[in-house]
Amino acid sequence: MNNIAGMRTYLVGPMDMVADGGKGWRDMITPPLKYLNVDVINPCNKPIKLVKEDDTTRSVIDHYKNTGQFDRIKNEYGHIRNADIRCVYVSDFIIARIDMTVHMCGSYEEIVTANRQKKPILVWCVQGKHNAPNWLFFMLPHVHIFSRMHEILDYLHMVNVSRNIEMLDRWIFFTKE
């Protein structure tokens, strides 16, 4: 089979509250996803023209916060949220990395947006599935919550080769002509 070939995934997780800007895990998971012929939408390298979110962007926003120029944040950078939500809309499934020691804001909005669209949301909780927030268990099938990155990749491999696609909750496969 090749059920997920050509699908798009959006990589959800904190960026502004982590030292590497969220690049590390995204760079690690991208090659195996590409091997499965999945198109990866990475918010660290936004595929939307004129939208950039990097260390310089975060530095300017921090300067605006520290100097009380709060109006400038939304006026100059509110388009980042719009772009990220648009990436959720165009994805077929999302992969979300949650670290319970890092505050997230946009990531939870992206998860909720994808959930309202009934997309598969694969959550990797760094502290283990058993420590994932209760709300995620209320919202998602527990089989979509994982303790390690390789568990998500193993699951995606199973989805990719499964002949019994009726049992794959939330997954929608379009016929290819």
Side-chain angles (χ1 to χ4, degrees), residues 129-148:
K129 179 176 183 168
H130 60 282
N131 286 313
N134 294 347
W135 199 263
L136 290 176
F137 287 99
F138 303 157
M139 186 185 328
L140 306 175
H142 84 88
V143 297
H144 289 177
I145 303 173
F146 304 88
S147 297
R148 292 175 185 79

Side-chain angles (χ1 to χ4, degrees), residues 51-94:
V51 178
K52 188 169 89 173
E53 182 180 9
D54 58 13
D55 292 337
T56 302
T57 305
R58 284 186 284 282
S59 178
V60 171
I61 292 170
D62 286 344
H63 171 73
Y64 289 165
K65 287 180 186 177
N66 293 331
T67 58
Q69 299 179 68
F70 303 112
D71 286 339
R72 293 187 76 174
I73 298 168
K74 184 168 179 14
N75 291 340
E76 294 177 28
Y77 295 103
H79 63 282
I80 291 172
R81 176 185 171 269
N82 298 342
D84 288 353
I85 295 301
R86 179 70 177 130
C87 289
V88 173
Y89 288 152
V90 301
S91 67
D92 296 294
F93 67 98
I94 67 169

Side-chain angles (χ1 to χ4, degrees), residues 1-176:
M1 304 297 293
N2 209 0
N3 292 327
I4 63 174
M7 285 190 169
R8 292 184 283 196
T9 189
Y10 181 56
L11 304 180
V12 171
M15 293 171 58
D16 61 335
M17 298 289 180
V18 291
D20 71 349
K23 295 174 189 164
W25 77 271
R26 289 176 173 95
D27 288 346
M28 288 189 320
I29 201 166
T30 295
L33 291 169
K34 288 189 180 241
Y35 179 78
L36 292 170
N37 294 311
V38 172
D39 293 328
V40 177
I41 304 171
N42 182 342
C44 295
N45 187 17
K46 295 190 191 317
I48 298 174
K49 292 179 182 177
L50 304 176
V51 178
K52 188 169 89 173
E53 182 180 9
D54 58 13
D55 292 337
T56 302
T57 305
R58 284 186 284 282
S59 178
V60 171
I61 292 170
D62 286 344
H63 171 73
Y64 289 165
K65 287 180 186 177
N66 293 331
T67 58
Q69 299 179 68
F70 303 112
D71 286 339
R72 293 187 76 174
I73 298 168
K74 184 168 179 14
N75 291 340
E76 294 177 28
Y77 295 103
H79 63 282
I80 291 172
R81 176 185 171 269
N82 298 342
D84 288 353
I85 295 301
R86 179 70 177 130
C87 289
V88 173
Y89 288 152
V90 301
S91 67
D92 296 294
F93 67 98
I94 67 169
I95 297 174
R97 181 182 184 271
I98 294 176
D99 181 339
M100 299 302 294
T101 67
V102 177
H103 177 73
M104 298 187 326
C105 187
S107 299
Y108 284 123
E109 182 181 11
E110 292 162 352
I111 290 169
V112 168
T113 299
N115 186 58
R116 287 189 177 133
Q117 297 172 358
K118 299 299 183 201
K119 293 180 181 190
I121 302 163
L122 309 180
V123 174
W124 164 28
C125 182
V126 174
Q127 288 74 22
K129 179 176 183 168
H130 60 282
N131 286 313
N134 294 347
W135 199 263
L136 290 176
F137 287 99
F138 303 157
M139 186 185 328
L140 306 175
H142 84 88
V143 297
H144 289 177
I145 303 173
F146 304 88
S147 297
R148 292 175 185 79
M149 181 191 301
H150 78 83
E151 293 172 355
I152 288 177
L153 294 169
D154 291 347
Y155 173 79
L156 284 171
H157 177 73
M158 182 276 300
V159 169
N160 195 41
V161 300
S162 180
R163 294 189 184 281
N164 186 12
I165 59 176
E166 298 83 30
M167 67 116 187
L168 297 172
D169 188 37
R170 292 183 176 228
W171 288 92
I172 306 258
F173 303 101
F174 293 92
T175 57
K176 296 174 176 102

